[in-house]
Amino acid sequence: MNNKLRILPVVVLMTMAICAFTAIGDSPDEAAKQRKIDYIYVEAAKQASLDNSGTAFLLYDRVLDMDSNNTFAALNKGNYEIQTAKTQDVFENGLALLKKYYTAHPEDKQTSMYYGQVLSTQGYIDEALQVWANLDTVFPDEKEIKVYYANALVATLDSANIYKAISIYNTLEPEYGQEWATISKLKAYLTANDTTAAFAQTEDMVKRAGNDSKTYLIAGSVYQSLNRPDSALVQYKRACEADSTNGYAYYTLASYYLSQGDSTAYDREIFNALTKNSLEVDIKCEILRTYIANIYDIPEYQPKIRELFDKLVEIHPHEANIHFLYSQYLAYLNDYPKAAEQIEYAVDVDPTNQQWVYQHIAFNVFGDSLQKAIKLGEEAMKNIPGNPDIMYITSIAYSQNKQYDKAEALAKSTVDTLLKAKRQDFNKISQLYTNIGDIYQRTEDNDSVIKYYDLAITYNPDNALALNNYAYALACQGKELDKAEQMSAKAVQKDPESISSLDTYAWVFFKKQNYKLAKEYIDKVLALDENPTAEIYHHAGDIYFMAGDPDEAVKFWEQALELTPDDELLKKKVTHKTYFYK
C-alpha cells in the first residue's frame, strides 16, 4: 500500500468547513443539532489547520456519527485514513469515504483529481479511468487532466484505450514538447506490444534529435526492451560519444554489459561512470554499494576497488558519504588505520553524525591507536553527552590501554544511562556487563568477574562473548567446570570457527582432565589461526604435554616464549621440558 500521497491543503479544508453549514429553515431541534454539527466540524478543521490531525480525525468521526451524509466530514476522515492506514481495511474505508464526497461533488476539481490520483496509484484501474474521463468532460481545457486521463487509458492495457491515449499525447505535444510526447507514445506502444510502431517511433526520434546523448539512451532502452541488443549497444555507445562527461550514459552502458554477462566491460564502464563529474554523488554511492556488494570478497578485485575509491576521493574530496563508504570497505579488510583516516574526513565534513563519530573512535581502538581513541572519545562525550555507543567504545579504549579504573567507571555509567532509557537495549547492556567482567578478569577480582558475567548472561542468555569469557574465567579459577563446559559449548555452537571460543573449550576440557578432547579442540584452533598468540601456544603446550606428547609440547612452549620472553613460567617449562602448575 502506497501512503505517500499528497494531503489536501489546510486552506481547502477550511473552505469546506464554511461550505458545510446547512441552510436556515430547519425545525428548532434539527437546527440545534445542525449548529452542534457545524461547531464540531469547524473545530475539527481548526485542529487540522494546527496539525493536530488525530484530534481532527476524532471530531470528523463524531460529525459522521451525527450525520452520516455529511460529505465534507467524510472527505476529511477519508483523507486521514488514506494517509495513515496501516491495514488494507482502514485504507479501503478511507477510499469509500472519499468516493462519497466525490460522488456528491464531481465539480470539485482539486479533490476529484486527488481521488483519481489515489485510485491510479493504488491500482484501481477501472475506477480511476472513470474519474479521469469525467474530469476531462467537466474540464475539457485542462491539459494536466488530459495527461492523467491518457495515462489511465494506457494503464487499462486495452489496445483501443491505448491508441486513444496516443491520440491525446499527439494533441498535447505543442504544450509539453516533442520529447515528452515521444517518450509517452513509446511507453504506450510498448504497453500495447506494438513493436513495429515502437521501432518506427524510436527511429524517427533519433533522426530528429541530432547528436543528443539523452535521446540515444532512450533509444537504447527501447531497443533493449524490443530484444534488439546489438541496436541497443550502438545507441548506448553513441550516447557516451555524444557526451563524454555523461556519467549516467556510462552507467547505462555498464548495466547493458552486465545484462549480457560481459563482466570485463561492465567493470570498465562502471569505472568510467563513477569518475564522471556529471553523475550525482548520491547516485554514485548507490552504484558503488551495488557494485562492491557483488565483488567485495574476491581478492583479485580488491586492488581495483581501492583504486576506484582513491579516484573518487580525488574527484570529490569533500563528499562525506564517499569517505564513509571507503571506511566501511577498509574496515571489512581489517585495515583499521586507513578506515579511521577515511571516516575522519567524513566526520570533519559532518561532525553531527553520531554514528560516524562512534566509528571514528572504534576504528582507532581496533587499529590499536588507543591514545587517539581515548582523546576522540573524551571530546565526543563533551560534545555529544549521553550517547551510550560513544561511552561504550571509549570504555573499551580505556580498558585496552590498561586504564581499568576509568574503564570500569565509564562502563557502569553507560549501563546507568541505558537502564534509564525508555526502551532498554538488553543486548547493549549485556555487552557492557561483559566488558566490566573482562576488566575485573584483568585485575583478578574473581568475585566481581562472576557477578558481572552473570549479569551479562541474565540480560542476554545468547551473548556468545559473555558465555565464552565466563567459561574461561571459571576454568582459570578451577570452579564449576561443568557449568563452564555448558557455556563454552553454547559459545562454540554459535560460532564454530571462533578461535577464542574453541581455545576456551579446549582449556575447559584441559581443566577437567579430558586431555583427548582438549587436544582435539586446540588442534582446531591451530588449524584456523594463522598467527597464534602466546597464550594459544602456551595452552597447546600444556595440553600436548598432558596428552602424552612432551616433545611437541616443548615446541609450543618455545613458540610462546618467543612472543613473551619475560614469562617466567614458560621459561621453567622450556628449561626443564616439563609441566609446572605455577
Side-chain angles (χ1 to χ4, degrees), residues 16-42:
M16 291 172 180
I18 296 170
C19 295
F21 293 107
T22 52
I24 298 172
D26 295 322
S27 69
D29 288 345
E30 290 175 342
K33 179 182 177 182
Q34 189 59 50
R35 283 196 299 272
K36 188 173 182 180
I37 291 172
D38 293 341
Y39 171 78
I40 295 171
Y41 188 94
V42 170

Side-chain angles (χ1 to χ4, degrees), residues 539-556:
H539 286 171
D542 291 355
I543 291 168
Y544 266 72
F545 187 88
M546 291 300 187
D549 192 345
D551 293 338
E552 198 66 26
V554 171
K555 291 179 183 178
F556 285 127

Side-chain angles (χ1 to χ4, degrees), residues 89-129:
D89 287 345
V90 173
F91 181 84
E92 294 282 356
N93 187 64
L95 202 58
L97 290 170
L98 199 58
K99 182 178 182 179
K100 177 182 282 192
Y101 176 86
Y102 163 74
T103 302
H105 306 278
E107 76 290 344
D108 182 342
K109 183 177 73 172
Q110 185 168 0
T111 305
S112 296
M113 288 182 68
Y114 171 66
Y115 179 49
Q117 287 173 329
V118 174
L119 291 169
S120 297
T121 303
Q122 300 300 325
Y124 296 88
I125 306 302
D126 294 336
E127 295 93 327
L129 182 60

Side-chain angles (χ1 to χ4, degrees), residues 36-286:
K36 188 173 182 180
I37 291 172
D38 293 341
Y39 171 78
I40 295 171
Y41 188 94
V42 170
E43 182 61 26
K46 176 185 174 183
Q47 293 300 321
S49 71
L50 296 172
D51 289 332
N52 297 328
S53 53
T55 302
F57 168 79
L58 294 173
L59 292 169
Y60 288 131
D61 199 33
R62 190 174 172 192
V63 170
L64 286 170
D65 283 342
M66 298 174 70
D67 179 9
S68 61
N69 294 319
N70 191 309
T71 56
F72 295 97
L75 167 63
N76 287 283
K77 182 185 175 185
N79 181 57
Y80 179 87
E81 289 187 335
I82 287 169
Q83 298 294 333
T84 61
K86 293 181 180 180
T87 66
Q88 189 64 28
D89 287 345
V90 173
F91 181 84
E92 294 282 356
N93 187 64
L95 202 58
L97 290 170
L98 199 58
K99 182 178 182 179
K100 177 182 282 192
Y101 176 86
Y102 163 74
T103 302
H105 306 278
E107 76 290 344
D108 182 342
K109 183 177 73 172
Q110 185 168 0
T111 305
S112 296
M113 288 182 68
Y114 171 66
Y115 179 49
Q117 287 173 329
V118 174
L119 291 169
S120 297
T121 303
Q122 300 300 325
Y124 296 88
I125 306 302
D126 294 336
E127 295 93 327
L129 182 60
Q130 291 176 12
V131 171
W132 293 116
N134 182 66
L135 277 165
D136 186 54
T137 301
V138 177
F139 304 101
D141 297 326
E142 288 286 342
K143 303 294 190 298
E144 184 182 8
I145 289 173
K146 288 189 181 298
V147 172
Y148 281 114
Y149 180 33
N151 292 343
L153 286 165
V154 173
T156 65
L157 306 182
D158 178 82
S159 296
N161 284 339
I162 291 172
Y163 287 107
K164 185 175 180 180
I166 290 169
S167 176
I168 295 173
Y169 292 140
N170 283 327
T171 65
L172 293 172
E173 183 170 331
E175 179 74 18
Y176 292 103
Q178 184 184 93
E179 180 182 308
W180 174 87
T182 299
I183 294 172
S184 298
K185 287 186 284 185
L186 272 172
K187 289 178 181 177
Y189 285 131
L190 291 171
T191 302
N193 292 317
D194 189 342
T195 57
T196 302
F199 183 77
Q201 185 76 42
T202 305
E203 292 282 284
D204 182 62
M205 176 182 69
V206 172
K207 287 178 183 177
R208 289 188 295 166
N211 197 34
D212 179 65
S213 180
K214 184 178 178 181
T215 300
Y216 294 141
L217 288 175
I218 295 169
S221 67
V222 173
Y223 289 136
Q224 199 166 352
S225 68
L226 294 174
N227 199 26
R228 300 191 182 198
D230 293 340
S231 297
L233 178 59
V234 168
Q235 297 301 325
Y236 292 145
K237 285 184 174 180
R238 290 177 74 181
C240 295
E241 291 167 1
D243 183 359
S244 61
T245 67
N246 187 342
Y248 186 75
Y250 286 100
Y251 177 60
T252 304
L253 180 58
S255 299
Y256 167 84
Y257 283 126
L258 182 64
S259 71
Q260 301 300 308
D262 189 341
S263 59
T264 302
Y266 170 69
D267 291 340
R268 181 186 67 242
E269 301 307 334
I270 280 288
F271 195 94
N272 283 333
L274 292 175
T275 53
K276 302 301 179 185
N277 283 323
S278 62
L279 204 61
E280 293 181 9
V281 171
D282 288 346
I283 296 175
K284 287 186 178 183
C285 288
E286 287 304 314

Side-chain angles (χ1 to χ4, degrees), residues 367-379:
D368 293 325
S369 297
L370 297 176
Q371 293 294 339
K372 183 170 183 179
I374 289 168
K375 181 181 178 182
L376 290 169
E378 290 174 345
E379 289 176 357

